[in-house]
Amino acid sequence: METKEIAGVLKAPAPHMVGDGFRVHNFFPGGYKINMSPFFLMDYGSRIEFSARKEPRGVGVHPHRGFETVTIAYHGAIAHHDSSGNSGKIYPGDVQWMTAASGILHKEYHEQNYSLQGGPFQMVQLWVNLPAKFKMSKPKYQAVKQADMANFVLPENGGKIEIIAGNYQSIKGNASTFTHIELYNARLNKGGKAGFSFPANYNTGFMIIEGSVKINGKETTTANNFVHFKNEGTEISIEALENSIVLILSGEPINEPIAQYGPFLMNTEKEISEAISDYNQGKFGYLEE
């Protein structure tokens, strides 16, 4: 078996605010021009302390079409509502998987009790592209609570691999996906080791959330860095040098043209124009601010 070598260790780009509640580092497509399809975007919210506040911070009503948003909470709590009538709250360890597809309105903000108390906040949001044949499918929502998450316990008290989507050691993740996606949280104790095997053509990256790790027995990297792998070889090994959390992303690329405008991710400029027109005509439904 051939090792999947590291293409680069990417430092967190300068942060920016999304609304007044999410301070994020956009690793791609803005910060680095890397191909991570089917993952189109990754906003990493490094750990920050928010002061207590009565009125929750967040992002007001905005549209989405053509993709899915996947929000993974590590510290803090997030509430959301959409125009399909879905709403939910996610707490540390939980995942919110929203399929916008044909189009919805959405808002997300700090959960009320967290907002009143303040405290540490850390999260990741991914935009997962959809193939053309699924872009106009019906919106849906998957709540993946940590308590219900499939996981594989590593030997020798090494920690565990939480399987959000995909398959690890024959254990299947809870979330259903439109393309082949592997998405895990590796929660490693100091000295814990794990191995991963992904097809050579899958786009693969590791977001180091906490701690420090050694990858493939040679490269050491620490929290807030993103490790991007080459599209060759299949095997990756990881060892935790201290208690660590690593978000594992790997997926089969969607080899289709991309047209993007703000919160719309389609295949052609014509489809972008249609999305804007449909939004302006109120076809995405209604959601109160």
Side-chain angles (χ1 to χ4, degrees), residues 114-178:
Y114 165 75
S115 189
L116 289 170
Q117 295 170 10
F121 193 86
Q122 186 179 21
M123 52 79 74
V124 170
Q125 186 171 89
L126 302 166
W127 288 14
V128 179
N129 193 16
L130 290 172
K133 63 182 177 181
F134 295 123
K135 282 190 180 292
M136 294 300 286
S137 55
K138 186 179 177 182
K140 68 174 184 174
Y141 170 70
Q142 301 176 79
V144 187
K145 297 292 186 184
Q146 186 181 36
D148 305 323
M149 208 172 279
N151 67 81
F152 176 83
V153 177
L154 295 166
E156 299 175 359
N157 194 34
K160 64 180 178 178
I161 309 296
E162 294 176 342
I163 305 121
I164 301 166
N167 191 300
Y168 184 80
Q169 300 289 2
S170 300
I171 298 173
K172 194 175 186 314
N174 302 54
S176 64
T177 63
F178 289 84

Side-chain angles (χ1 to χ4, degrees), residues 18-173:
V18 178
D20 66 355
F22 304 99
R23 188 197 68 170
V24 301
H25 310 265
N26 179 247
F27 273 90
F28 57 85
Y32 295 95
K33 303 304 178 190
I34 57 174
N35 183 8
M36 278 297 295
S37 175
F39 308 101
F40 176 78
L41 172 149
M42 185 177 75
D43 275 343
Y44 169 60
S46 60
R47 185 165 170 163
I48 184 175
E49 293 282 331
F50 279 107
S51 58
R53 183 165 138 169
K54 191 173 181 182
E55 190 66 31
R57 301 171 175 90
V59 182
V61 176
H62 55 282
H64 291 299
R65 173 179 279 182
F67 64 101
E68 304 179 284
T69 66
V70 180
T71 306
I72 306 161
Y74 296 98
H75 291 283
I78 304 166
H80 85 108
H81 287 84
D82 69 38
S83 55
S84 294
N86 295 310
S87 65
K89 297 173 183 178
I90 62 170
Y91 300 95
D94 297 343
V95 177
Q96 166 191 312
W97 196 300
M98 183 184 75
T99 304
S102 61
I104 57 171
L105 303 179
H106 186 235
K107 61 180 179 179
E108 52 200 327
Y109 41 91
H110 295 181
E111 186 270 334
Q112 184 72 48
N113 288 333
Y114 165 75
S115 189
L116 289 170
Q117 295 170 10
F121 193 86
Q122 186 179 21
M123 52 79 74
V124 170
Q125 186 171 89
L126 302 166
W127 288 14
V128 179
N129 193 16
L130 290 172
K133 63 182 177 181
F134 295 123
K135 282 190 180 292
M136 294 300 286
S137 55
K138 186 179 177 182
K140 68 174 184 174
Y141 170 70
Q142 301 176 79
V144 187
K145 297 292 186 184
Q146 186 181 36
D148 305 323
M149 208 172 279
N151 67 81
F152 176 83
V153 177
L154 295 166
E156 299 175 359
N157 194 34
K160 64 180 178 178
I161 309 296
E162 294 176 342
I163 305 121
I164 301 166
N167 191 300
Y168 184 80
Q169 300 289 2
S170 300
I171 298 173
K172 194 175 186 314

Side-chain angles (χ1 to χ4, degrees), residues 244-275:
S244 301
I245 301 173
V246 182
L247 177 64
I248 313 288
L249 301 84
S250 189
E252 184 177 19
I254 299 171
N255 294 314
E256 295 177 350
I258 285 177
Q260 185 232 344
Y261 178 79
F264 306 128
L265 186 58
M266 305 302 290
N267 297 103
T268 66
E269 293 300 327
K270 180 173 181 287
E271 289 168 340
I272 293 291
S273 297
E274 288 168 356

Side-chain angles (χ1 to χ4, degrees), residues 4-10 27-28 32-37 202-207 215 221 225-231 236 249:
K4 189 180 280 289
E5 300 288 355
I6 293 171
V9 177
L10 312 179
F27 273 90
F28 57 85
Y32 295 95
K33 303 304 178 190
I34 57 174
N35 183 8
M36 278 297 295
S37 175
Y202 277 30
N203 292 318
T204 302
F206 287 9
M207 183 70 229
I215 296 172
T221 187
N225 289 321
F226 183 78
V227 183
H228 183 224
F229 291 88
K230 295 179 180 178
N231 291 102
I236 302 171
L249 301 84

